[in-house]
Amino acid sequence: MFNTNEVLETINMVEREHLDIRTVTMGISLLPCIGGTAEKTAENVYDHICKKAENIVKVTGDLSREYGIPIVNKRVSVTPASIICAPFANKSYLIGKALNDAAKAVGVDFLGGYSALVHKGTSDYETEFIKSIPEVLATTERLCSSVNVGSSKSGINMDAVRLMGEIIKQTAQKTATQGGFGCAKLVVFCNAVEDNPFMAGAFHGVGESGTVINVGVSGPGVVQHAIESIPEANLSDLAEMIKRTAFKITRAGQLIATEAAKRLNAEFGIVDLSLAPTPARGDSVAAILEEMGLESVGTHGTTACLAMLNDAVKKGGVMASSRVGGLSGAFIPVSEDIGMIEAAERGKLCIDKLEAMTAVCSVGLDMIAVPGDTSASTISAIIADEAAIGMINNKTTAVRIIPAPDKKVGDEVNFGGLLGRAPVMPVHGEGAEKFIARGGLIPAPIHSNKN
């Protein structure tokens, strides 16, 4: 399946162009863990994860050494925990603690799935569960949370959108000494997918099998280097080069995913080919867009460049593997991309432009810091805007926003590591309280009636 030339090309991409396997994520169903009490369920959850994922760190380490490809993160995703907690929602925190303890025991970086799917309505137990999120994220280190508030088929649950604005504010306050770090582990989705290996939004869908390996591959530096090699190319040739490069990156991901699944006694799920940047120079999606011909990311033409990049990446991925899935495309997290950070600091990149870019990228408004006094209703309105883009365009959109406590525009929040640093960006001063307070459901678009 893989020839010598492909292996040599991969080695070159690793050594010179920042190619890495961003994450190997094991998805684990927790449905067999539901017991008669919250305490018993928490015990079952801990034991089940420790048994299934006990070798993930060792196996990924072995694969990294054998193939010479860095594997940056080892992660676990689980069945949305609100389902597991349904019989005892007032004790959801016990399941959250068990999940965090299991993540520490097996040595993974993050565990995703303290999640709820409320895109059409919110039951009492789900409301109780969602209200536990701020405290749980404030008292755990490795646990990530997500809430799906809309879909193209069901519309947008505006009651859930209103609640999530409040939850994000509470999470920021409970982690104020860390710059609102809890919010970096919380994503609000529209059209969430069941096989996303990337944090903080990963969860193991109920339609998945018991244990699955999903791999996320990232190579912004590889794509940038490819574009640099053809400086005079027209856009058709540029798209072709990006497509060919994405093909090679995906093949590397499929190799690791296949071997990891075999050694971990799990099914091979998908390869997510997402250009996920880091704060390191040479590993930036913004730099790719500027190499395509923009003076600065955020200027006119940015959305068009990103649309072409995203499409070419997806085309290259599906040529390389029949198992491409997740969110495959390009991510634009501000704090995690040195080019985005610097453009925001220069005032060349604003939230409105980022919102336009989310219509054509893989996810949405990601790792954006806003002033700490931003109201819950404004945060809810930002979520509603993103959910509307996802609903109408039948794509996944998301919001991961940090109302940084005691910070104002021009300040900075530094989370360190892959999460980087976030310049605090301005929001509109005019409110949307009345709109958010209306609640109810924004109906699904007419094109949802496809049956």
Side-chain angles (χ1 to χ4, degrees):
M1 182 182 293
F2 299 92
N3 60 42
T4 303
N5 287 335
E6 287 180 307
V7 173
L8 292 175
E9 282 184 330
T10 300
I11 291 171
N12 183 60
M13 289 188 287
V14 168
E15 291 182 346
R16 297 178 53 196
E17 301 161 11
H18 297 278
L19 172 68
D20 59 47
I21 303 297
R22 186 56 50 87
T23 179
V24 172
T25 301
M26 174 179 280
I28 302 174
S29 173
L30 297 184
L31 294 178
C33 299
I34 300 175
T37 65
E39 290 77 7
K40 181 58 178 175
T41 299
E43 180 184 335
N44 292 345
V45 163
Y46 177 87
D47 291 343
H48 190 61
I49 293 171
C50 289
K51 179 180 179 181
K52 292 289 185 180
E54 62 178 340
N55 292 320
I56 188 171
V57 173
K58 178 184 183 303
V59 166
T60 52
D62 291 344
L63 290 171
S64 183
R65 286 187 291 273
E66 290 173 27
Y67 291 100
I69 303 176
I71 299 175
V72 180
N73 295 297
K74 284 70 66 178
R75 295 165 172 172
V76 167
S77 64
V78 298
T79 310
S82 70
I83 299 171
I84 310 304
C85 298
F88 27 76
N90 62 336
K91 293 187 175 181
S92 299
Y93 63 91
L94 292 176
I95 309 303
K97 182 179 185 304
L99 291 170
N100 189 67
D101 289 347
K104 288 193 285 189
V106 300
V108 295
D109 307 282
F110 285 112
L111 186 149
Y114 197 77
S115 306
L117 310 179
V118 293
H119 39 280
K120 198 169 184 180
T122 313
S123 65
D124 290 343
Y125 77 83
E126 287 164 331
T127 299
E128 191 75 24
F129 174 85
I130 291 171
K131 288 180 177 179
S132 75
I133 289 174
E135 182 65 25
V136 168
L137 291 184
T139 55
T140 57
E141 304 84 37
R142 307 190 190 197
L143 190 59
C144 293
S145 179
S146 60
V147 178
N148 192 61
V149 298
S151 76
S152 296
K153 203 71 176 172
S154 65
I156 302 171
N157 180 354
M158 289 300 293
D159 293 319
V161 169
R162 177 177 57 192
L163 178 57
M164 288 313 300
E166 297 166 0
I167 293 299
I168 289 169
K169 286 284 290 185
Q170 292 171 24
T171 303
Q173 289 302 321
K174 285 185 177 292
T175 55
T177 58
Q178 302 167 279
F181 176 67
C183 296
K185 302 186 291 174
L186 174 58
V187 184
V188 185
F189 278 114
C190 177
N191 289 322
V193 297
E194 296 188 329
D195 54 8
N196 164 29
F198 286 99
M199 298 297 168
F203 63 86
H204 185 70
V206 294
E208 299 279 324
S209 59
T211 312
V212 175
I213 293 295
N214 297 319
V215 167
V217 187
S218 181
V222 180
V223 174
Q224 182 185 349
H225 186 268
I227 295 172
E228 288 173 349
S229 70
I230 48 171
E232 305 303 322
N234 64 33
L235 293 176
S236 298
D237 292 339
L238 204 61
E240 185 65 22
M241 174 62 82
I242 295 169
K243 187 172 69 175
R244 291 172 182 268
T245 304
F247 177 93
K248 297 172 186 177
I249 295 171
T250 307
R251 295 285 282 178
Q254 179 160 314
L255 171 62
I256 295 297
T258 302
E259 285 298 315
K262 187 187 304 180
R263 299 184 192 190
L264 290 167
N265 194 30
E267 290 192 22
F268 169 19
I270 57 94
V271 177
D272 185 322
L273 174 60
S274 287
L275 300 182
T278 72
R281 203 165 295 280
D283 200 25
S284 163
V285 170
I288 295 174
L289 302 178
E290 291 171 357
E291 190 63 41
M292 291 169 72
L294 303 176
E295 188 172 329
S296 171
V297 65
T299 192
H300 305 297
T302 298
T303 306
C305 286
L306 182 59
M308 192 185 85
L309 172 64
N310 212 54
D311 181 65
V313 166
K314 289 178 184 290
K315 286 174 178 173
V318 298
M319 285 172 59
S321 172
S322 61
R323 293 295 190 94
V324 170
L327 300 167
S328 297
F331 289 176
I332 52 170
V334 173
S335 79
E336 299 173 13
D337 186 313
I338 186 62
M340 298 286 182
I341 293 168
E342 292 176 347
E345 289 174 335
R346 297 193 305 268
K348 304 300 183 183
L349 187 63
C350 64
I351 291 179
D352 287 349
K353 185 58 179 179
L354 284 164
E355 181 183 301
M357 293 164 68
T358 64
V360 298
C361 77
S362 290
V363 193
L365 294 173
D366 197 13
M367 288 302 289
I368 293 172
V370 296
D373 61 0
T374 303
S375 68
S377 62
T378 294
I379 293 171
S380 294
I382 291 169
I383 293 169
D385 283 343
E386 272 303 298
I389 290 172
M391 177 185 70
I392 295 295
N393 291 287
N394 198 29
K395 71 182 294 292
T396 302
T397 51
V399 173
R400 186 162 49 145
I401 190 169
I402 301 101
D406 303 319
K407 299 288 186 179
K408 60 183 185 299
V409 174
D411 292 340
E412 181 181 274
V413 185
N414 196 330
F415 297 120
L418 287 176
L419 294 175
R421 57 188 176 89
V424 177
M425 303 175 73
V427 299
H428 289 283
E430 300 78 16
E433 291 90 347
K434 184 175 180 180
F435 168 62
I436 297 302
R438 288 181 181 273
L441 186 76
I442 294 180
I446 186 65
H447 61 64
S448 68
N449 293 309
K450 292 181 179 179
N451 290 340

